[in-house]
Amino acid sequence: MTETSALAVVDPAPPRLGAVSQLARRMQAGWRSIVIFIPYVWLFVFFLLPFFIVAKISVAELKMASPPYTDLIKWAEDGIMTIRITFENFTYIFEDDLYSKTYINSLKISSISTILCLLIGYPIAYGIIRSGPVARRLLLFAIILPFWTSFLLRVYAWMGLLADRGTINNVLIWLGLIDEPIRMLYSEFAVYIGIVYTYLPFMILPLYANMEKLDATLNEVAADLGSRPMNTFFKVTLPLTMPGIIAGSLLVFIPATGEYVIPDLLGGGNVLMIGRLLFNEFNQNVDWPTASAVAIVLLFLLVLPMTIYQYYQGKAMEDQ
Amino acid sequence: MTGEQTLSDTPWLEQGAEPFIKIRGVTKKFGEFTAVDNIDLDIYQGELFCLLGGSGCGKSTLLRMLSGFETPTSGSITIDGMDMSNVPPYERPTNMMFQSYALFPHMTVEKNVAFGLKQDKIPVAEINDRVHDILTLVELQDYKKRKPQQLSGGQKQRVALARALVKQPKLLLLDEPLAALDKKLREQTQFELMNIQEKVGITFVVVTHDQEEAMTLSTRIAVMNDGEFMQLGTPTEIYEFPESRFVADFIGSANMLEGRIVEDGPDHVRVKTDLGEVFIDHGQSVKEGSRVWIAIRPEKMHLSKEPPLKPGPNQAFGMVDDIGYLGDISIYKIRLENNQIIDVTAPNQIRPKSRTHTITWEEKVYLHWQASSAVLLTK
Amino acid sequence: MYGRRSGFLTFMLAAGMAFIYVPMILLVIYSFNYSKIVPVWGGWSLRWYETLFKSEAVWNAVALSLKIAVINATFATILGTLAGLAMVRFGKFKGRTLFGGMLVAPLVMPEVITGLSLLVLFISLKQLFGWPQDRGFTTITIAHITFSLAYVAVIIQSRLSGMGETLEEAALDLGAKPFRVLTDITMPRLAPGMVAGWLLAFTLSLDDLVIASFVTGPGANTLPILIFSRIRLGLRPDINALATIIILVVAIGVAIAAYIMFRQERQQQRDMQIVDREIP
């Protein structure tokens, strides 16, 4: 305000025009802040803030009430504030065998699934790149298509295939290869299949995007300099597709670690995974403090891969 | 190795000289399209041979067949006595310098250059020595640890050259080696390239669309069009004695006059054109009365404000339509009586006092040329 | 010799496609099975479709899911576009790093964590302000917008950086005010990205089970929640029928989208040919 009047004094230009353009200028600056402000506040309130609340609950105690946890800060009658923080939930998680086993098993399953996705997805992505222009588009389309159908129903499809009286067992018995059905559903094997099946496009798409930028003449250069195709693959193609490999692997690894639906539907009670444990702790046992602590530890485990992913995402944006 | 052989400057003229590369009846088809059409070519040891032509003329396809990235639909290629038909690129004694260089972006300069040597399982110490030597040759010894992104265009070009040369191939193939450089650097690099070729003594085959580059670099040039050779010869032969209108027009610029043969003597030819008679002082067996073309280079025509002393052949007059000042020379566009425009270039030997030329717009000028200057073309 | 597929790659492509599509095809086939036990064939029948259409619970769930998906997609597109603009076109501003982080994190955050944290937020809000009164439609929609907007922002950001700023600069040079440039130049060019973002947000919302399960309250069942509660107990032929319908709807939608894209491309090619012919 003072600035405006000061300017008006100094500037002998027609005052009305000056005021209008001043207003216009201020509005120009205003809409920019609004554009930033709205999504910023939304994300702050509905994404960042909740984590602090979870962190708060994770250091509270379980209480038979609604909500089922104690307050951290208490105001006594005489205005004395007491803060109660407990790390019991965390010590409980680390001491209880069940939790540590579940964390390790989750990481194991998601790591192996990521490697499987990479081993299957890499040649598929490379095959798409090596196809003709029409085939390339159709194949890419075929990879993306399942993404638009329901995730849940794709997992369900495997229940029908893997069940004791499911399609695979029926076919194997019909072929005379086995007499008794093999138990496949409700096992780790089924969880692996489910994760690879549903997360494969997340591996293929970043790989494809990366390979598309690859200069095909580099393969020719290598061959010209005496390198055989296999050697060229390991010395040239593989290192140059590393960004795609990292992005794809993280896109599979991070969500797979916290996966709930697949271990629940395909693993039943037999496969320990942290997402399922957390869900049950929260919804069935109504132990919010423990569930929050479990979530905080899981988040802590995934912070590094998430940061790496963010770094690559940012770099890819800048490269464009 | 054939040992110390005294190489002649013009091996293609030697009787019984054995060509280093023999291309025999090579054709390459992509579906219906014929990229290279039944080509025969001999290239000799130590040559710097240029394949010159516009885009899509088949020059790159021919180069790719030499390097092994394409296989001929028919015909054979022999390099140093070895048939190349079933030899994959990674086993050929050739190396290629790619257009736009195609340096490995994830390797340093040193690693890029060493890549080819590593494939041959050469001891590390020797690799290091050879990489050092070749980088010294191209004056990049201080840039060993840099990545390609940190190099200028000219430096990248030299890394690509070093990478291809370090394997000491029998034949070095260069695909538009200078196209990505700016004009000044390109001219300078042309001479560097020639010096390096002289030092290493390797046979070079260069593909280019730039006629100036071809003229400067090569021992011999093959001008290509539509998958065929239009003409094969030394730069002088191709420039001074083009065999066809295509070559005359493609290499440099030429004024083209249409005419009919009036007299075909053993040591001269007379041709009647719209501008009068043209006398050419070298014989050519052409049927009298047949339709021919005459090509005269702009710099071989002389301009004068004075009419010639006596009328005769090899003369014309017209009006100055336009003048282009290029600094070292000026181009005069002369409109003849039949409205044809003739280009004449003249060196600016004397600095003009003002910006006006001695000959100026809308002036009547006279043209004449030597009997040896015009070239008779029948196709 | 180069740019061609080797036998191994072709095999992997074929095997990969079979891996992706065979389970879905079987899912569809068994929806026409008369037998109540899914993998035992009892002859062709449409009885499970009948069961499905008669179920009021299914219809309610579909209606709720669609309502949430449409509102979510619309809000997420608006917020995501604003966020994308801010990230790409506004240079440096205070808290940009945090903003960028909050935009990427929802993409990779495990769903259980997002769901859990949103639920505790809603409960805390209710304690403090008495809002939201009960959980269901509103809370699910807010939760969906939160993660969907991040996906929209990614699409918008990549389109914006791909577009470059030359046209905007040209408009500014011709005297347009920044706001006019935004509405008259940037937005129209962003439209295809916004449509793609809307569709993605719509699909993400329809697909979400975990987050919705956390933040929903009694009685508010979205379609995934309903499906999940049924298939947890085993195979159900009516779910096969539902899956078939979903696959059919998606296939038709995708076919229409592909056709429109194909026609636009053809039109563009034809235009280019005309240009080539008329302007030598």
Side-chain angles (χ1 to χ4, degrees):
Chain A
M1 263 298 144
T2 42
E3 241 177 316
T4 323
S5 46
L7 260 174
V9 173
V10 175
D11 189 6
R16 278 192 67 185
L17 192 73
V20 169
S21 65
Q22 283 288 331
L23 187 70
R25 207 169 302 152
R26 196 146 355 122
M27 273 173 67
Q28 293 292 351
W31 67 261
R32 274 174 65 109
S33 3
I34 290 169
V35 166
I36 300 173
F37 189 72
I38 297 172
Y40 209 128
V41 167
W42 183 284
L43 283 170
F44 189 83
V45 173
F46 293 114
F47 190 73
L48 198 59
L49 189 61
F51 287 113
F52 290 112
I53 302 175
V54 171
K56 188 188 96 174
I57 298 173
S58 75
V59 290
E61 278 173 72
L62 183 61
K63 190 176 83 174
M64 285 305 160
S66 176
Y69 57 90
T70 55
D71 284 335
L72 300 189
I73 301 167
K74 271 204 179 116
W75 294 94
E77 298 279 315
D78 48 4
I80 293 172
M81 187 183 80
T82 47
I83 301 176
R84 286 178 53 104
I85 290 178
T86 169
F87 289 101
E88 258 172 45
N89 302 313
F90 289 96
T91 44
Y92 172 59
I93 289 173
F94 287 115
E95 276 163 11
D96 194 322
D97 233 19
L98 175 71
Y99 290 100
S100 48
K101 265 189 192 162
T102 310
Y103 277 116
I104 291 167
N105 208 41
S106 296
L107 290 175
K108 185 194 94 184
I109 289 177
S110 57
S111 311
I112 295 177
S113 307
T114 305
I115 293 167
L116 289 174
C117 276
L118 183 62
L119 291 178
I120 299 170
Y122 198 97
I124 292 179
Y126 205 52
I128 298 175
I129 289 288
R130 282 293 174 89
S131 303
V134 178
R136 196 193 263 212
R137 286 178 59 174
L138 285 175
L139 287 167
L140 197 62
F141 205 61
I143 298 291
I144 301 172
L145 193 61
F147 178 77
W148 296 92
T149 66
S150 166
F151 168 80
L152 201 52
L153 291 172
R154 278 183 288 148
V155 177
Y156 173 70
W158 279 98
M159 290 175 71
L161 279 159
L162 297 171
D164 287 357
R165 296 171 69 186
T167 315
I168 293 176
N169 273 319
N170 288 350
V171 169
L172 291 177
I173 290 172
W174 180 73
L175 286 172
L177 291 172
I178 51 170
D179 299 323
E180 288 290 301
I182 309 169
R183 184 139 188 93
M184 289 181 286
L185 191 59
Y186 306 131
S187 69
E188 265 192 21
F189 171 72
V191 173
Y192 282 123
I193 292 219
I195 294 178
V196 171
Y197 185 69
T198 46
Y199 285 95
L200 193 57
F202 292 98
M203 178 63 83
I204 294 176
L205 294 177
L207 278 172
Y208 174 86
N210 180 241
M211 289 173 182
E212 209 181 13
K213 284 183 273 177
L214 216 61
D215 183 359
T217 42
L218 292 180
N219 283 7
E220 294 192 347
V221 175
D224 184 67
L225 293 169
S227 166
R228 281 154 192 285
M230 209 41 135
N231 183 62
T232 305
F233 176 76
F234 284 109
K235 292 283 164 60
V236 179
T237 312
L238 198 61
L240 287 175
T241 46
M242 228 8 143
I245 293 174
I246 291 171
S249 298
L250 292 171
L251 272 182
V252 175
F253 177 79
I254 299 166
T257 307
E259 185 55 53
Y260 164 70
V261 176
I262 296 169
D264 196 74
L265 288 178
L266 297 178
N270 306 324
V271 180
L272 293 173
M273 279 193 83
I274 204 67
R276 187 164 180 275
L277 189 70
L278 193 155
F279 194 94
N280 292 342
E281 202 70 63
F282 197 84
N283 286 323
Q284 287 165 18
N285 302 345
V286 206
D287 186 349
W288 290 19
T290 309
S292 297
V294 169
I296 295 289
V297 173
L298 175 59
L299 198 58
F300 190 73
L301 285 176
L302 293 178
V303 155
L304 183 66
M306 286 203 282
T307 316
I308 298 173
Y309 177 78
Q310 200 156 342
Y311 170 76
Y312 271 92
Q313 182 80 20
K315 230 172 73 165
M317 284 287 175
E318 272 163 37
D319 283 351
Q320 274 192 342
Chain B
M1 283 273 110
T2 30
E4 283 301 300
Q5 206 175 26
T6 39
L7 291 172
S8 130
D9 281 346
T10 52
W12 53 92
L13 296 177
E14 308 273 308
Q15 281 292 322
E18 183 61 19
F20 188 62
I21 300 163
K22 283 191 252 182
I23 297 173
R24 291 289 176 271
V26 164
T27 297
K28 177 70 187 178
K29 288 186 178 176
F30 294 106
E32 289 293 294
F33 175 70
T34 308
V36 171
D37 195 0
N38 194 21
I39 274 185
D40 291 301
L41 177 64
D42 286 335
I43 298 172
Y44 294 86
Q45 177 85 51
E47 266 203 86
L48 206 165
F49 192 91
C50 256
L51 294 168
L52 174 65
S55 60
C57 72
K59 57 187 193 304
S60 291
T61 310
L62 189 56
L63 196 77
R64 288 171 64 81
M65 285 193 282
L66 284 169
S67 57
F69 296 121
E70 307 287 353
T71 19
T73 313
S74 63
S76 74
I77 294 173
T78 314
I79 298 174
D80 199 16
M82 283 198 312
D83 180 29
M84 288 289 133
S85 300
N86 294 311
V87 184
Y90 47 86
E91 284 171 3
R92 291 199 181 203
T94 63
N95 282 127
M96 178 144 153
M97 192 185 135
F98 287 74
Q99 187 174 10
S100 75
Y101 319 135
L103 301 178
F104 298 120
H106 59 303
M107 297 181 193
T108 58
V109 167
E110 199 177 17
K111 293 239 169 71
N112 260 287
V113 176
F115 184 88
L117 296 174
K118 282 189 190 148
Q119 309 310 319
D120 295 349
K121 311 264 179 307
I122 290 171
V124 180
E126 194 191 332
I127 292 183
N128 290 340
D129 286 350
R130 279 169 72 175
V131 168
H132 178 81
D133 290 349
I134 201 82
L135 285 177
T136 312
L137 181 72
V138 297
E139 292 169 12
L140 281 174
Q141 62 272 41
D142 300 333
Y143 295 85
K144 273 184 188 172
K145 300 289 177 204
R146 294 242 187 136
K147 288 274 186 79
Q149 307 85 281
Q150 300 166 304
L151 298 176
S152 72
Q155 289 166 338
K156 282 184 196 164
Q157 191 261 355
R158 300 209 306 268
V159 176
L161 182 65
R163 185 177 66 179
L165 273 177
V166 76
K167 290 198 78 177
Q168 296 165 354
K170 291 182 176 173
L171 170 64
L172 187 74
L173 306 163
L174 301 98
D175 190 0
E176 301 277 6
L178 308 174
L181 303 179
D182 60 52
K183 195 175 186 311
K184 195 98 184 167
L185 197 56
R186 190 160 61 222
E187 281 165 7
Q188 183 191 330
T189 314
Q190 279 171 8
F191 290 100
E192 273 178 24
L193 204 58
M194 285 161 74
N195 286 338
I196 287 172
Q197 197 251 355
E198 230 163 84
K199 269 188 215 158
V200 294
I202 293 171
T203 310
F204 278 27
V205 174
V206 179
V207 151
T208 181
H209 69 279
D210 182 342
Q211 44 116 350
E212 232 173 272
E213 192 174 304
M215 302 282 291
T216 326
L217 288 174
S218 21
T219 51
R220 284 191 302 157
I221 299 173
V223 183
M224 284 187 80
N225 189 34
D226 284 339
E228 290 175 350
F229 284 167
M230 303 305 290
Q231 193 172 350
L232 178 69
T234 63
T236 331
E237 281 166 0
I238 290 199
Y239 189 78
E240 300 294 344
F241 304 101
E243 287 168 359
S244 60
R245 284 189 294 157
F246 177 84
V247 174
D249 202 45
F250 190 79
I251 311 285
S253 51
N255 295 303
M256 216 67 78
L257 305 172
E258 209 179 323
R260 273 179 203 288
I261 302 277
V262 219
E263 187 195 338
D264 182 18
D267 60 348
H268 68 272
V269 187
R270 280 176 192 282
V271 185
K272 188 178 179 311
T273 71
D274 275 1
L275 321 172
E277 201 172 83
V278 176
F279 180 86
I280 299 170
D281 73 349
H282 45 270
Q284 209 154 356
S285 46
V286 204
K287 227 171 68 192
E288 272 172 34
S290 60
R291 212 163 75 113
V292 293
W293 290 269
I294 308 246
I296 311 163
R297 301 268 179 215
E299 74 275 12
K300 297 214 161 59
M301 292 204 163
H302 301 284
L303 272 187
S304 149
K305 286 209 265 194
E306 308 300 323
L309 294 172
K310 58 171 187 187
N314 300 349
Q315 289 174 356
F317 67 90
M319 298 281 271
V320 179
D321 207 56
D322 216 339
I323 305 173
Y325 176 66
L326 301 186
D328 52 348
I329 56 165
S330 289
I331 299 179
Y332 298 87
K333 302 252 174 206
I334 312 296
R335 185 182 295 277
L336 304 180
E337 270 182 320
N338 66 352
N339 267 338
Q340 188 180 357
I341 303 272
I342 295 280
D343 286 0
V344 180
T345 55
N348 294 322
Q349 280 158 333
I350 304 158
R351 185 190 292 167
K353 287 240 165 58
S354 63
R355 282 189 55 227
T356 49
H357 291 74
T358 34
I359 293 171
T360 185
W361 283 266
E362 302 298 329
E363 243 181 320
K364 188 174 183 182
V365 286
Y366 298 87
L367 302 166
H368 68 96
W369 58 90
Q370 307 273 314
S372 60
S373 296
V375 181
L376 184 72
L377 305 169
T378 51
K379 45 182 185 186
Chain C
M1 150 136 223
Y2 286 86
R4 235 167 277 166
R5 256 186 354 226
S6 69
F8 169 69
L9 291 181
T10 309
F11 169 78
M12 282 308 289
L13 274 178
M17 290 298 148
F19 177 60
I20 291 170
Y21 283 100
V22 167
M24 293 171 88
I25 292 166
L26 286 171
L27 195 68
V28 171
I29 291 173
Y30 280 116
S31 75
F32 298 106
N33 184 6
Y34 183 81
S35 165
K36 195 172 166 60
I37 305 155
V38 172
V40 177
W41 189 251
W44 296 92
S45 152
L46 288 174
R47 69 185 270 209
W48 302 113
Y49 288 88
E50 208 185 317
T51 318
L52 194 68
F53 284 119
K54 280 186 183 153
S55 161
E56 205 182 317
V58 170
W59 284 111
N60 288 340
V62 168
L64 179 66
S65 275
L66 284 177
K67 206 165 100 183
I68 292 172
V70 169
I71 295 173
N72 159 63
T74 308
F75 276 89
T77 305
I78 295 168
L79 290 171
T81 306
L82 295 180
L85 276 170
M87 282 305 285
V88 181
R89 287 293 152 88
F90 285 5
K92 284 205 166 67
F93 55 85
K94 244 187 187 167
R96 188 178 185 274
T97 319
L98 176 67
F99 190 51
M102 290 195 300
L103 271 180
V104 179
L107 304 180
V108 284
M109 190 61 68
E111 289 169 321
V112 279
I113 297 182
T114 314
L116 173 86
S117 55
L118 275 163
L119 174 58
V120 297
L121 173 82
F122 289 134
I123 289 168
S124 307
L125 285 177
K126 190 182 172 185
Q127 269 187 307
L128 289 173
F129 307 109
W131 179 91
Q133 210 15 261
D134 31 45
R135 296 193 297 278
F137 168 74
T138 317
T139 49
I140 298 174
T141 310
I142 290 175
H144 282 187
I145 292 171
T146 305
F147 72 82
S148 302
L149 86 85
Y151 284 87
V152 177
V154 168
I155 295 179
I156 296 294
Q157 283 183 68
S158 83
R159 268 200 84 89
L160 274 175
S161 3
M163 265 161 38
E165 281 180 71
T166 330
L167 288 190
E168 275 86 346
E169 283 167 357
L172 286 170
D173 180 65
L174 293 169
K177 295 247 164 53
F179 189 73
R180 289 293 297 216
V181 174
L182 184 72
T183 53
D184 291 8
I185 310 287
T186 314
M187 284 312 206
R189 294 181 77 207
L190 267 185
M194 288 167 74
V195 171
W198 194 94
L199 287 171
L200 183 62
F202 182 80
T203 323
L204 286 168
S205 169
L206 278 186
D207 211 20
D208 169 64
L209 166 72
V210 176
I211 294 172
S213 301
F214 269 102
V215 299
T216 192
N221 279 343
T222 62
L223 192 58
I225 295 176
L226 178 97
I227 295 173
F228 187 65
S229 67
R230 291 189 178 182
I231 60 178
R232 262 192 111 171
L233 308 168
L235 301 167
R236 302 249 323 213
D238 55 336
I239 298 297
N240 284 56
L242 182 61
T244 305
I245 293 171
I246 290 177
I247 291 172
L248 193 72
V249 169
V250 168
I252 291 172
V254 163
I256 292 172
Y259 176 72
I260 293 171
M261 265 162 52
F262 174 74
R263 258 190 35 181
Q264 272 178 349
E265 216 161 282
R266 277 278 296 275
Q267 186 59 45
Q268 236 166 23
Q269 276 175 1
R270 228 172 294 143
D271 291 350
M272 285 304 287
Q273 277 169 3
I274 291 169
V275 168
D276 283 347
R277 223 178 303 134
E278 312 223 318
I279 304 158

